Amino acid sequence: MKTFNALLERFRNEVASTLLAQKLWARYETAAPREQLALRLLGIFFLIVLLLLVVVLPLHRFNTASIADFRAQQETLAWMQTNRDAIGSDSQKPRAPGDSLMAIANQSARNAGLSFKRYEPNGEALNLWLEQVPFNQVVKWLDALQRDYGVTAVDFTASKRDEAGVVDIRVTLKG
């Protein structure tokens, strides 16, 4: 508080030392008592208006925007809760307890017209090699694995062959 009072006193001294401030103060002191009262009231009015414009109005705008944002977030949450069953879960086929990742990959690859050159179980993942396969067919197969069984390709490498659209693939599946 002492620092604030010292700064305020210093500011008064700096302002009072200017020529304009001295002229205004001299004019104020020579004014009639009614005019001095009117100037004080006008100063208080401007101080209140300044306080409203600088502090209260920005706080009010922030509060209004925060309330609107909160309501929008509530509506989004309510929509997500009502539509949670429609998103993703009903398009996946349930996995039987005995279905291994290898069985799912093998069956879905056969359905897509693909066959593995080599496979290697790797913990919870499965490394697969496919040779001379159409790239578009592999992409469709991987998409079907993701969509239908929730199996994702965590690592994918493709090497092109001489024939257009035909590639050698190394992919690691997880899920």
Side-chain angles (χ1 to χ4, degrees), residues 122-167:
N122 184 7
E124 292 183 17
L126 178 65
N127 297 326
L128 300 171
W129 287 262
L130 296 92
E131 290 187 354
Q132 296 182 4
V133 291
F135 180 77
N136 291 341
Q137 202 169 346
V138 172
V139 171
K140 288 178 185 176
W141 168 63
L142 290 173
D143 180 53
L145 274 175
Q146 167 70 38
R147 182 185 62 245
D148 297 341
Y149 299 101
V151 175
T152 58
V154 293
D155 187 29
F156 180 86
T157 306
S159 304
K160 71 177 190 171
R161 303 286 287 202
D162 293 335
E163 190 178 338
V166 176
V167 292

Side-chain angles (χ1 to χ4, degrees), residues 43-90:
I44 291 171
F45 172 77
F46 281 129
L47 187 64
I48 291 171
V49 168
L50 183 67
L51 182 69
L52 285 173
L53 290 175
V54 172
V55 177
V56 175
L57 190 59
L59 286 175
H60 177 69
R61 286 182 183 152
F62 176 76
N63 185 37
T64 304
S66 296
I67 290 171
D69 185 46
F70 176 74
R71 288 187 178 140
Q73 294 296 329
Q74 277 184 323
E75 290 173 9
T76 302
L77 177 63
W79 180 87
M80 289 172 70
Q81 287 174 339
T82 57
N83 293 311
R84 93 174 104 200
D85 294 334
I87 300 173
S89 63
D90 60 20

Side-chain angles (χ1 to χ4, degrees), residues 98-137:
D99 282 350
S100 66
L101 183 56
M102 179 63 197
I104 292 171
N106 197 19
Q107 179 63 39
S108 63
R110 247 188 271 130
N111 291 344
L114 300 171
S115 63
F116 307 137
K117 170 77 172 164
R118 180 176 154 203
Y119 64 90
E120 182 180 284
N122 184 7
E124 292 183 17
L126 178 65
N127 297 326
L128 300 171
W129 287 262
L130 296 92
E131 290 187 354
Q132 296 182 4
V133 291
F135 180 77
N136 291 341
Q137 202 169 346

